[in-house]
Every structure is written in C-alpha cells, then in structure tokens.
Amino acid sequence: MAGNQASAGDLLQLVRSGRATTRGALQEVTGLSRATVGQRLDRLFRAGWLREGAAGPVNSRLGGRPSIHLEFDDAHAVVLAAVLDTRHARAAVLTLSGEVLAEHTDDLTVEDGPEAVLPRLGGWFGDLLKEAGRAADTVCGIGLAVPGPVDIDTGRVVQPPIMPGWDGYDIRGRLARAAAEHAATAPDVPVLVDNDANLMAYGEQRTGHPDCRAFALVKVSTGIGAGVVVDGAIYRGIDGGAGDIGHVRVPAGADALCKCGSYGCLAAVASGRALARRLTEAGVPAASGSDVRDLLAAGHPEAVRLAREAGRSVGEVLATVVTLLNPGVLVIAGDLAGTPFLTGVRELLYQRALPRSTAHLDVAPARLGERSALIGAGALVVEELYAPARAERRLAALGV
C-alpha cells in the first residue's frame, strides 16, 4: 500500500482497523503526500463514512497542534440482518458497529420454502425500520444466516438436508425484492447469505475473541454444524462445505437414519432433533431442539442425561477437529449448549485429543447467546461493503 496505490478505500480500512487514525499516521503508513491524504479523506468525509474525533496528545517536546483522530462513522447507515432456524427466525436492524436498534423473533418454519419465508422477513424488516426510526435509504445491506451449506459466490444453498425446496434458489434476489416491497429499501440493496454456524462463529470471534487466530464454534440445535474463523476470516472450504460435522459417521449411530438419507451421522444421534425423538419415545413430548432446551432449563432428568450423552458423542468428533485445527477457543452454542452437554463434550474431548492439542484450548459457551449469528451477519455485510475495493466502487457510485 505504498505511494499513489493507496486509495480512499485503503485509508478507510486503516482507520477502521486502528492501524492509522490520524492524517500523519496515514501519510507514514501509505507514503502518500499530505495533500493526497487530504483529498482522499475528503471523499470519505463527503460520503459521511468518516468523522473527526477528539484531539490526541501532543507527542513532540516542541509542542504544536494536537493530532485530530479519525473515526469510522457507524451512524451513517444501518444493516438489516436475519437468522433462519428450522422453526423460528430472528431479524434486526443493526448499526454498522453491531448495536441492535430493533429486533423481532417469531415462529417461521424453514420447510415452508423460500416463497413463504422470505416475504415474511421483508415484512419484518419494514416494521423494524419504523421501530428503529431509520429511513429505508439508510440501509446499506442485508445479511442472512441459514441452516445449510452456502455457495458464498452465489448466495445459494447447496443440497441442504433440513431446508427442502431451497436447493439452488436465488435467495439474494428474492430477499432483495421482498425488502424493497415491504420495507421500501433500494431494489439493488446488497444481500449476503452464509451458513448460520459460520456467522455465529464470526460474531463470537469478533466480539469476544478478536485476538484468537484460530477459532471454532459448534452449533448444536435441531441440527449440528461448525464454523471456523482463521486469521479473522471465515474458513468455508472450496464451496461452502467446511464445518458440516453433523454428517461425520460415529459408531454410536450405526442404526440411526439421518435427514440426509445416510445412517450413522453425528446429527442422527446427538442433535436436538435426535434427542427430541428419543424423549418422545420415552413419553416426554418434544419436537425440536428448542423443546429440548426448554426441558433442560426445567432440569428434566432424562433430558439432562441425554444431553450429556450427546455431548460425549460430539466431543468424540471434536477431538479430531481440535487436533486438525489447533484452535485457541472452541465455543459450544445452540439449544443444547448448557452445562450437561458441555460436561459431556469436555469428558470425551480431553480424553481423546492429544494433550498438546488442548493445552491452550478454551472450551466456552457463546457470549452473545441467541444473537451470535445476527451479529455475525451484520458484521459480514459491513466487512464486505467497506472493504477497500468495494468501498472505492461505492464512493464512485455516490459521486464523491
């Protein structure tokens, strides 16, 4: 980033990351002249993306004027974010720094298909913008978390086991139209779609563990999935399939039929759906991971026993995950992520993994609770839209 190659978008990135937050520091890092830095900062000021903060201390013994600190103005736009689960959904209006301005949760069945689900999200977005007191033209993007593998280039889910009717569907285009129709957002508003476990991991890593270079999260709700963040970026594999540990075969599930059509998958023996089925067979009605969560919260002894047993099965798979990735933090999240389940995970994980793999490992619950994927979806939109190259294109489109 030397000389005239440093764009206004590059300067914005330096300010947002904290690497250079004064004009002098920007000159030093980029090698640009004072006049060029000033010109490029002026574009960012005119767009409303930067603001001047408090003056810093004078570091020179000779005195002089204090340096004015530059700050990313997170109030100039908002993000719409939504998270789909199997039987309910959550939507919110977020600031660019991830503060929740308005939020709504309700029943919404993903198996009803995209034509039923996405227009309802559009309606929620319209109501939430009114509640937050924000105009539709302040929406810079929409982020959506879904419970299935996603091709990040197209935003389409790929053969999702628990999302019938969604395979290959144009989620981006339909959600943009639904938001335009119900919330009056721009018809070409950017929409980013990713797997829910990926976005939970992203939200948790950025919020609670920003210095962790290798971070993993396992979501155990109606299904099971994992998200991995390496050096601050989501690791997705070549086509979005990374982290799909719910379909790793485990010995305990040899006779268990999974939703994917195979026998022996981890999800078939240790997911919220699997535990709900076993509880129902034992005379305790339960239909999903959220029902199991409620039974666990009430201290139901059979639910507690099964959750610990499920944790042991997941811990057995995680021993391999931890050995392969060597993460510093492993977060356990989702409907089952209470004490019994975590106890089971720790029992098998520390028993099966090499001591070196777990010596510096922190196994912890989610800090953001049910908002993990929501915060991650908002952050994904912001990081995409304000990345240097995308920022330059957006500034040009704004005419600044």
Side-chain angles (χ1 to χ4, degrees):
M1 194 187 298
N4 291 326
Q5 293 179 350
S7 66
D10 289 319
L11 299 192
L12 179 67
Q13 184 78 356
L14 288 169
V15 172
R16 290 186 61 230
S17 68
R19 283 186 58 201
T21 58
T22 66
R23 288 170 173 80
L26 289 169
Q27 288 176 239
E28 184 176 343
V29 170
T30 63
L32 295 174
S33 69
R34 180 177 179 179
T36 303
V37 166
Q39 291 167 357
R40 294 182 181 172
L41 288 179
D42 183 57
R43 296 179 67 201
L44 298 171
F45 283 121
R46 282 188 285 146
W49 295 1
L50 277 189
R51 64 187 174 206
E52 291 186 339
V58 177
N59 295 321
S60 171
R61 289 177 297 173
L62 301 176
R65 291 188 299 173
S67 298
I68 301 296
H69 277 270
L70 304 171
E71 300 173 350
F72 180 58
D73 188 343
D74 65 357
H76 74 268
V78 294
V79 174
L80 299 175
V83 180
L84 294 180
D85 211 330
T86 51
R87 297 175 64 199
H88 63 273
R90 180 181 298 266
V93 179
L94 307 174
T95 68
L96 300 182
S97 58
E99 178 188 353
V100 176
L101 300 177
E103 185 175 11
H104 178 72
T105 304
D106 207 343
D107 293 338
L108 194 59
T109 304
V110 75
E111 289 187 355
D112 288 345
E115 285 298 331
V117 170
L118 297 178
R120 283 197 65 190
L121 288 183
W124 292 4
F125 286 151
D127 294 340
L128 288 167
L129 282 171
K130 293 175 185 174
E131 183 182 335
R134 297 301 174 102
D137 62 5
T138 64
V139 175
C140 66
I142 301 173
L144 177 66
V146 298
V150 176
D151 181 335
I152 199 66
D153 292 329
T154 65
R156 299 173 188 246
V157 292
V158 182
Q159 299 176 358
I162 60 175
M163 298 179 69
W166 292 77
D167 185 22
Y169 185 87
D170 180 18
I171 297 175
R172 286 178 180 172
R174 185 66 183 95
L175 186 53
R177 292 196 301 275
E181 179 182 351
H182 297 284
T185 56
D188 59 348
V189 63
V191 177
L192 275 68
V193 185
D194 205 342
N195 171 261
D196 55 358
N198 283 348
L199 293 178
M200 290 173 78
Y202 197 49
E204 289 286 336
Q205 188 271 337
R206 288 172 58 89
T207 302
H209 310 275
D211 298 325
C212 181
R213 293 177 53 202
F215 177 95
L217 176 144
V218 176
K219 177 198 176 189
V220 187
S221 292
T222 298
I224 298 177
V228 177
V229 180
V230 177
D231 289 334
I234 298 172
Y235 178 76
R236 300 183 178 90
I238 60 169
D239 61 4
D244 204 3
I245 66 168
H247 301 285
V248 173
R249 304 291 176 85
V250 292
D255 299 323
L257 177 63
C258 182
K259 290 282 283 186
C260 73
S262 297
Y263 285 88
C265 294
L266 178 65
V269 297
S271 67
R273 176 183 281 111
L275 267 61
R277 185 189 68 248
R278 293 176 65 182
L279 285 165
T280 300
E281 291 170 352
V284 184
S288 68
S290 57
D291 291 339
V292 178
R293 178 192 62 203
D294 294 341
L295 289 167
L296 288 170
H300 190 283
E302 183 65 5
V304 168
R305 184 186 72 80
L306 289 175
R308 182 164 180 171
E309 187 178 301
R312 289 171 61 86
S313 294
V314 172
E316 188 169 3
V317 172
L318 289 180
T320 300
V321 172
V322 164
T323 301
L324 177 65
L325 295 178
N326 189 209
V329 178
L330 171 62
V331 167
I332 310 297
D335 290 331
L336 270 59
T339 300
F341 187 86
L342 259 73
T343 299
V345 167
R346 290 189 174 107
E347 284 175 358
L348 258 290
L349 174 60
Y350 287 103
Q351 177 184 324
R352 297 293 173 86
L354 288 172
R356 191 195 179 288
S357 299
T358 57
H360 303 289
L361 176 67
D362 178 18
V363 180
R367 296 190 181 192
L368 298 174
E370 295 186 353
R371 284 180 168 175
S372 298
L374 204 63
I375 301 301
L380 186 72
V381 170
V382 174
E383 290 305 313
E384 169 70 18
L385 295 186
Y386 293 92
R390 186 71 175 267
E392 274 299 305
R393 294 196 296 272
R394 293 178 64 214
L395 287 170
L398 289 170
V400 299

